[in-house]
Amino acid sequence: MQIIDSVPEMQSLAASLRSNDRLIGLVPTMGALHGGHIELMQAAKDQADIVVVTIFVNPTQFGPSEDFDAYPRGLEQDIRMCEEAGADIVFVPGVEELYPDGYSTFISEEKLSEGLCGISRPNHFRGVLTVVTKLFNIVHPDLAVFGQKDAQQAAVLKKMVADLHFGVRILICPTVREEDGLAMSSRNRSLHSTQRKDAAVIYQALQSAKTLYDSGNRNVDRILAEVTHTLSTSRRIRVIYVNFVDSETLEPLNELVEGRSLLAVAVWVDEVRLIDNIIL
Ligand code: AMP
């Protein structure tokens, strides 16, 4: 496994792999890797000849009062996990490598980015799209793999790839969960044990919606009320949003559309911001 931190080196390696007809699969991450990231690497391995994992805590997707400095990091263990998962290349650029002094170009999507997390994190998706575009231009992957856990990110990225004719195939992998249902997330490392226990309520809340839905209930307000009620059983949890949107367009839903009704949740567990979702 090769570890690369320079953009020109990564570009020329990717170019030579491509010229040898190797299919390149890209897995962008912010590190602090967990089982969710490993699934993405395995999916990339199944469908591409070469797996490039990127580890970069992207400052432009964090707001000024967000947790960029406190975001969990652990490069040595991450590199071990990439190697065990069978990655071929780990690209770990420094911040200066991607955003040198005077950097001033950004990519925005102006519709799907606006709702859900876009309300409380106004420049978040602009940062995500900018860094993913840079990674696409550096690696020129055939395939890029992302997780359904970040459902809005997945929808916004697909929209950008379509709108800007990127010609990169986007693969979205299902959310990998802990035993108690909590979606795996690097930010879970910031939870102490009682917060971690309370965080399981997020999945219970999504399941309470599924139970109502499976029993035939199709009343959007009623199901959302059930979710907020379940979340309120933890005194550590503060709801940022609980919404039903169309899973592709992210338009708010007043009526459920089978197989496309994305129930998306964002909460604070004390000072840790977590998101999760299911599709009904
Ligand atoms: P992050 O390092 O949090 O930016 O995530 C990198 C990629 O891993 C993104 O495409 C995420 O959607 C994906 N991911 C994060 N957590 C999970 C999970 N629990 N299951 C599946 N994919 C995930």
Side-chain angles (χ1 to χ4, degrees):
M1 189 176 79
Q2 276 178 274
I3 299 165
I4 293 177
D5 61 8
S6 110
V7 168
E9 210 181 308
M10 184 66 241
Q11 274 176 318
S12 65
L13 177 58
S16 86
L17 289 164
R18 263 196 319 283
S19 69
N20 287 321
D21 286 338
R22 314 303 301 276
L23 281 184
I24 301 178
L26 177 72
V27 182
T29 82
M30 297 208 297
L33 300 180
H34 51 67
H37 298 117
I38 301 300
E39 282 291 311
L40 307 191
M41 292 179 212
Q42 264 143 20
K45 225 175 147 47
D46 286 346
Q47 307 214 9
D49 304 315
I50 299 289
V51 176
V52 180
V53 178
T54 68
I55 298 177
F56 180 66
V57 185
N58 175 35
T60 63
Q61 70 188 66
F62 289 80
S65 58
E66 292 183 358
D67 58 348
F68 174 71
D69 289 329
Y71 193 84
R73 289 164 172 89
L75 190 56
E76 266 182 39
Q77 190 186 330
D78 286 349
I79 286 172
R80 263 200 308 278
M81 288 172 76
C82 290
E83 184 130 48
E84 279 166 22
D88 300 284
I89 298 164
V90 183
F91 179 49
V92 202
V95 171
E96 276 298 303
E97 190 71 10
L98 290 196
Y99 301 108
D101 270 354
Y103 185 87
S104 60
T105 303
F106 294 88
I107 307 288
S108 307
E109 187 284 332
E110 302 190 353
K111 206 165 164 192
L112 286 72
S113 306
E114 300 295 308
L116 302 177
C117 287
I119 295 168
S120 47
R121 307 188 74 190
N123 280 325
H124 173 67
F125 291 108
R126 171 184 183 258
V128 171
L129 295 182
T130 300
V131 80
V132 170
T133 296
K134 288 160 85 60
L135 296 173
F136 284 180
N137 284 333
I138 295 165
V139 177
H140 286 284
D142 299 279
L143 167 78
V145 189
F146 300 90
Q148 175 64 23
K149 209 265 290 177
D150 300 274
Q152 185 176 17
Q153 170 174 286
V156 170
L157 282 165
K158 282 196 214 161
K159 187 68 169 45
M160 174 186 80
V161 164
D163 283 352
L164 298 184
H165 319 288
F166 265 103
V168 176
R169 188 156 69 85
I170 301 294
L171 180 66
I172 306 299
C173 289
T175 301
V176 179
R177 299 181 178 282
E178 303 286 357
E179 239 168 60
D180 62 0
L182 177 66
M184 290 188 182
S185 165
S186 305
R187 287 193 170 95
N188 293 351
R189 292 194 192 182
S190 309
L191 301 168
H192 62 59
S193 67
T194 45
Q195 292 169 329
R196 169 63 189 81
K197 248 183 234 155
D198 277 29
V201 170
I202 301 166
Y203 184 64
Q204 290 161 19
L206 294 174
Q207 286 307 106
S208 69
K210 185 163 164 39
T211 303
L212 270 185
Y213 183 86
D214 287 346
S215 70
N217 197 314
R218 295 292 182 271
N219 184 322
V220 167
D221 287 341
R222 175 67 186 88
I223 298 177
L224 293 178
E226 192 66 22
V227 175
T228 10
H229 171 71
T230 309
L231 289 169
S232 73
T233 60
S234 159
R235 62 178 187 82
R236 296 180 185 281
I237 291 183
R238 300 284 180 278
V239 174
I240 303 167
Y241 63 76
V242 176
N243 283 140
F244 269 115
V245 296
D246 181 279
S247 57
E248 300 281 320
T249 65
L250 305 186
E251 299 275 355
L253 289 181
N254 297 319
E255 283 178 19
L256 301 183
V257 185
E258 186 152 5
R260 284 184 74 117
S261 309
L262 176 76
L263 173 57
V265 171
V267 302
W268 291 103
V269 179
D270 291 334
E271 305 310 317
V272 181
R273 191 184 194 280
L274 297 178
I275 57 172
D276 200 350
N277 66 83
I278 52 169
I279 294 181
L280 297 176

